[in-house]
RNA sequence: GGCCCGUUCGUCUAGGGGUUAGGACAUCAGAUUUUCAUUCUGGUAACAGGGGUUCGAUUCCCCUACGGGCUACCA
């Protein structure tokens, strides 16, 4: 069997879109499963759109996501260079080959002339306003100009491009691994530019030449490439590389969570979720976009989520490690329809992975946060906090953000609870409870609970009323982790302090409301 | 406009000529938790529409509708 070689080939025009990460993931999964090779190639043939830092960003993103690269940018390999701008001369050679074999031609049309042609066709009501087998005979190119004139123009240094000479009749067929057979009529294809006037190849040429030279066995890419896939097939044929042509698999797109269209950065901004794997600052505008990593998504959760957007194993298992994904993945089980991006599900995956982490790792998350905030805290206390918080957090940063009351007395208090439940009975309870916990020998969750229950029973007050009042007095909030454990962690003295504060301040609120 | 691709619960999807159309997220209810969350249990909820083919179509075919992509000397 042919060696499996796949490539992820982004262009360095900015941050890597999350859809690109999924494409990379599917390529990676497929390569690993078949003991194949995963190649990273940079398609930087558009000099105008080049963004400094984008390439490094892509590498870093894949690394964070756990998508390993076997060959290519940052790794090297037998087919170097893997940056298309560094392969410029090579494409020229292959373009010339196509000219020689009559599959391509020189074109000298200016932008204005091209526009005039399209306008003319549009007014005439022609369906295809393109440079093709019929219109090319009305344009300035080596097909319409005498050979001597073409030669003269070439020598004179006027700008020109090389275009593919698409046959007038016939059809192109391709067998897509996901979509089955796709057929396109030749006359619907246009004479695509292969070499631009700046001497760089277009995507179409570079991609085919490189995939051939790099022995790519499978092209797994987004659906936006499906319309030009027949053109690529035609190129393989024109070169006489049909036997070595890779197999194609065009992935369904990632769609907006709501409304119509494909997922865009705008949607992410509007709905408040990341769209880039890592935080990215646009060097042009200076605009900063928080990445999945910085937002607190674990790479394994993001990968699991992404893998299921368009693919599924056909079983009821939902949680998959990268290793399991490699084993279970198959192109045949990739769906055809676009998948809406649902950040809620991503968060659910994150919770699953977060909760499965050992406490020591979770403690490290919290410890990191505390160091950043300049808060000192004993490892024992951190461990206790993590243990009591782990079932209620979605992101690592939540340990600190939702547990601030462990470190500082609350600044604000849930006013609805106070308004509703701060009354003579509860005040009386707090007073007695204060005394009661002062006298506890061992101040821990169990003894606190006993004191709490006994105090309530002695006063004849229902505990349900008291729990929330006590919680608000201690944490400021109406909800939170186990209250008795919270008191234990905060400690006796701090608990008493907060109760004193509540007694003097909550009274004012109750009186005024 | 043209070409290509698609369409199962709100979302991700399984399934496939005869099924109570399955799961997950979300949502709702109950239980547990003397609070909230977690957890558990249960519920609501889908084959876009119309024609065929067939004993029988959600499944196969066609049409329509809708959605998406492409339509550059961008990838």
């Amino acid at each position: 069997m042919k060696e499996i070689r796949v490539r992820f080939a982004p262009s360095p025009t900015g941050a890597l879109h999350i859809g690109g990460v999924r494409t990379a993931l599917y390529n990676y999964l497929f390569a690993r499963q078949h003991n194949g090779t995963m190649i990273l190639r940079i398609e930087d043939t558009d000099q105008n759109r080049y963004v400094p830092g984008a390439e490094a960003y892509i590498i870093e993103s894949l690394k964070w996501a756990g998508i390993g690269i076997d060959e290519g940018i940052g790794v090297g390999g037998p087919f170097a260079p893997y940056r298309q701008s560094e392969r410029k001369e090579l494409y020229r050679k292959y373009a010339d080959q196509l000219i020689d074999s009559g599959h391509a031609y020189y074109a000298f049309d200016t932008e204005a002339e091209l526009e005039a042609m399209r306008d003319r066709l549009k007014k005439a009501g022609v369906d295809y306003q393109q440079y093709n087998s019929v219109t090319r005979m009305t344009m300035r190119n080596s097909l319409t100009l005498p050979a001597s004139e073409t030669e003269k123009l070439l020598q004179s240094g006027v700008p020109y491009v090389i275009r593919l000479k698409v046959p007038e009749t016939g059809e192109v067929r391709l067998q897509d691994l996901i979509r089955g057979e796709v057929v396109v009529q030749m006359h619907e294809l246009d004479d695509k530019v292969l070499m631009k006037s700046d001497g760089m190849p277009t995507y179409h040429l570079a991609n085919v030449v490189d995939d051939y030279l790099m022995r790519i066995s499978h092209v797994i890419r987004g659906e936006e490439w499906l319309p030009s896939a027949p053109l690529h097939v035609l190129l393989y044929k024109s070169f006489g590389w049909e036997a070595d042509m890779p197999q194609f698999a065009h992935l369904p797109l990632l769609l907006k969570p709501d409304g119509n269209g494909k997922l865009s950065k705008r949607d992410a901004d509007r709905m408040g979720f990341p769209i880039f794997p890592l935080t990215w600052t646009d060097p042009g505008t200076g605009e900063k976009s928080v990445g999945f990593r910085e937002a607190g998504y674990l790479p394994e959760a993001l990968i699991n989520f992404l893998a299921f957007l368009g693919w599924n194993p056909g079983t009821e298992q939902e949680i998959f490690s990268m290793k399991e994904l490699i084993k279970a993945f198959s192109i045949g089980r990739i769906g055809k329809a676009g998948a809406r991006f649902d950040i809620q599900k991503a968060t659910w995956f994150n919770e699953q992975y977060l909760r499965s982490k050992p406490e020591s790792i979770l403690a490290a998350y919290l410890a990191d946060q505390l160091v950043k905030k300049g808060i000192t805290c004993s490892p024992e206390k951190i461990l206790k906090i993590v243990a009591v918080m782990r079932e209620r957090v979605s992101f690592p940063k939540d340990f600190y953000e939702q547990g601030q009351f462990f470190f500082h007395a609350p600044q604000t208090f849930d006013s609805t609870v106070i308004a509703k439940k701060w009354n003579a009975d509860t005040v009386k309870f707090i007073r007695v409870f204060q005394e009661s916990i002062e006298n506890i020998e061992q101040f821990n969750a169990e003894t606190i609970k006993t004191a709490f229950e006994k105090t309530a029973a002695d006063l004849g007050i229902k505990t349900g009323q008291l729990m929330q009042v006590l919680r608000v007095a201690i944490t400021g909030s109406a909800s939170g982790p186990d209250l008795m454990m919270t008191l234990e962690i905060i400690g006796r003295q701090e608990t008493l302090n907060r109760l004193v504060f509540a007694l003097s301040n909550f009274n004012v609120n109750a009186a005024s409301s």
Side-chain angles (χ1 to χ4, degrees):
Chain A
M1 190 180 150
K2 200 172 160 187
E3 192 199 349
I4 300 295
R5 290 173 58 80
V6 296
R7 83 296 198 280
F8 177 56
S11 60
T13 54
L16 186 58
H17 187 277
I18 195 67
V21 177
R22 191 195 56 167
T23 301
L25 173 66
Y26 284 6
N27 272 283
Y28 172 78
L29 259 20
F30 185 70
R32 279 287 181 278
Q33 183 177 64
H34 294 95
N35 291 313
T37 306
M38 168 74 171
I39 297 158
L40 176 63
R41 187 172 72 212
I42 294 290
E43 313 229 322
D44 56 348
T45 52
D46 186 350
Q47 297 163 325
N48 300 319
R49 293 211 306 160
Y50 177 80
V51 174
E55 185 183 303
Y57 177 93
I58 290 165
I59 292 170
E60 168 96 23
S61 295
L62 296 177
K63 191 175 164 194
W64 173 73
I67 299 171
I69 302 299
D70 304 311
E71 184 181 318
I73 292 293
V75 183
F79 301 97
Y82 291 91
R83 208 157 9 231
Q84 292 186 326
S85 59
E86 293 169 17
R87 302 166 65 81
K88 192 175 171 183
E89 299 316 312
L90 204 98
Y91 306 117
R92 174 75 222 197
K93 196 182 106 193
Y94 285 98
D96 286 343
Q97 184 184 318
L98 250 25
I99 295 248
D100 292 344
S101 63
H103 291 289
Y105 59 93
Y106 299 104
F108 304 97
D109 316 278
T110 63
E111 211 166 303
E113 286 169 329
L114 289 170
E115 208 173 309
M117 180 264 283
R118 288 189 201 109
D119 274 358
R120 202 186 74 224
L121 293 174
K122 197 163 191 175
K123 279 185 187 129
V126 178
D127 283 340
Y128 318 106
Q129 292 122 34
Q130 53 192 21
Y131 210 115
N132 60 21
S133 61
V134 319
T135 54
R136 66 183 169 224
M137 298 319 285
T138 68
M139 306 300 286
R140 293 175 54 232
N141 53 51
S142 59
L143 265 22
T144 57
L145 266 21
S148 58
E149 177 68 10
T150 298
E151 194 52 37
K152 210 176 94 190
L153 283 168
L154 252 23
Q155 297 300 325
S156 74
V158 300
Y160 67 91
V161 299
I162 294 176
R163 284 181 181 273
L164 179 68
K165 189 180 170 191
V166 176
E168 300 84 73
T169 57
E171 57 187 26
V172 193
R173 285 168 185 276
L174 82 109
Q175 213 39 56
D176 187 272
L177 261 17
I178 294 171
R179 281 149 222 289
E181 186 170 70
V182 177
V183 186
V184 174
Q185 299 303 311
M186 286 294 184
H187 71 267
E188 282 157 1
L189 261 26
D190 62 346
D191 288 2
K192 275 274 181 297
V193 169
L194 264 21
M195 289 293 288
K196 299 184 272 190
S197 56
D198 64 359
M200 276 292 190
T202 58
Y203 170 84
H204 306 293
L205 206 223
N207 145 269
V208 166
V209 167
D210 284 348
D211 284 347
Y212 170 74
L213 293 177
M214 295 178 184
R215 314 243 165 107
I216 300 302
S217 63
H218 298 260
V219 170
I220 303 169
R221 79 234 292 195
E223 194 185 358
E224 68 268 29
W225 292 111
L226 192 54
S228 55
L231 176 90
H232 301 156
V233 170
L234 187 58
L235 270 169
Y236 280 100
K237 287 186 177 174
S238 303
F239 277 118
W241 299 338
E242 225 179 326
D244 297 308
M245 187 168 76
Q247 292 203 265
F248 294 99
H250 289 93
L251 270 22
L253 263 21
L254 260 33
L255 271 23
K256 290 181 196 297
D258 58 357
N260 304 143
K262 66 174 172 182
L263 180 66
S264 71
K265 183 177 173 304
R266 233 187 136 63
D267 302 313
D269 290 347
R270 177 171 54 90
M271 303 182 77
F273 61 82
I275 192 155
F276 300 140
L278 275 33
T279 291
W280 168 257
T281 303
D282 188 304
T285 64
E287 190 197 352
K288 186 178 160 187
S289 308
V290 174
F292 278 93
R293 179 177 67 182
E294 289 76 6
Y297 288 87
L298 302 169
E300 52 270 52
L302 184 65
I303 288 296
N304 199 152
F305 166 66
L306 245 27
F308 272 68
L309 239 36
W311 171 86
N312 78 87
T315 66
E316 292 192 348
Q317 185 181 349
E318 300 271 340
I319 302 295
F320 277 79
S321 66
M322 188 70 99
K323 208 172 158 186
E324 290 172 309
L325 285 173
I326 289 167
K327 204 170 165 208
F329 185 75
S330 78
I331 291 179
R333 292 201 66 86
I334 294 174
K336 296 178 170 77
R340 281 186 194 275
F341 192 85
D342 177 14
I343 196 66
Q344 266 185 138
K345 192 121 187 199
T347 304
W348 178 79
F349 273 112
N350 214 52
E351 287 166 355
Q352 300 306 307
Y353 279 90
L354 202 53
R355 284 166 203 179
S356 70
K357 296 254 180 211
E359 240 152 51
S360 59
I361 302 273
L362 302 181
Y365 290 146
L366 178 55
D368 282 353
Q369 290 273 321
L370 293 176
V371 168
K372 276 184 203 150
K373 304 285 175 187
I375 297 168
T376 47
C377 183
S378 73
E380 295 75 31
K381 185 173 169 183
I382 288 178
L383 230 41
K384 277 185 177 179
I385 293 170
V386 161
V388 79
M389 293 286 288
R390 67 178 307 158
E391 292 303 315
R392 47 194 315 123
V393 296
S394 299
F395 303 103
K397 63 175 190 243
D398 291 343
F399 284 111
Y400 175 73
E401 287 181 4
Q402 291 178 21
Q404 297 219 35
F405 53 82
F406 285 117
F407 312 103
H408 314 284
Q411 305 290 312
T412 57
F413 299 86
D414 189 308
S415 55
T416 44
V417 170
I418 295 171
K420 244 168 87 178
K421 299 191 172 165
W422 189 260
N423 53 40
D425 274 356
T426 51
V427 167
K428 191 164 64 182
F429 168 82
I430 297 289
R431 292 221 166 94
V432 179
F433 184 60
Q434 269 181 313
E435 278 174 49
S436 151
I437 58 176
E438 272 183 86
N439 298 323
I440 293 173
E441 281 183 39
Q442 287 284 322
F443 189 78
N444 60 44
E446 205 177 316
T447 56
I448 295 164
K449 189 178 174 194
T450 307
F452 177 85
E453 281 167 349
K454 184 170 185 303
T455 306
D458 288 352
L459 295 174
I461 306 172
K462 280 186 182 161
T463 52
Q465 291 296 308
L466 302 168
M467 193 67 97
Q468 265 198 316
V469 168
L470 182 57
R471 180 183 290 286
V472 170
I474 300 298
T475 72
S477 164
S479 66
D482 183 86
L483 189 53
M484 302 306 153
M485 266 312 290
T486 301
L487 296 196
E488 177 188 324
I489 293 166
I490 288 170
R492 187 188 334 239
Q493 194 50 55
E494 182 60 21
T495 297
L496 289 171
N497 291 349
R498 292 185 191 183
L499 292 180
V500 168
F501 180 88
L503 281 170
S504 52
N505 290 273
F506 286 10
N507 273 328
V508 176
N509 288 343
S512 65
S513 64

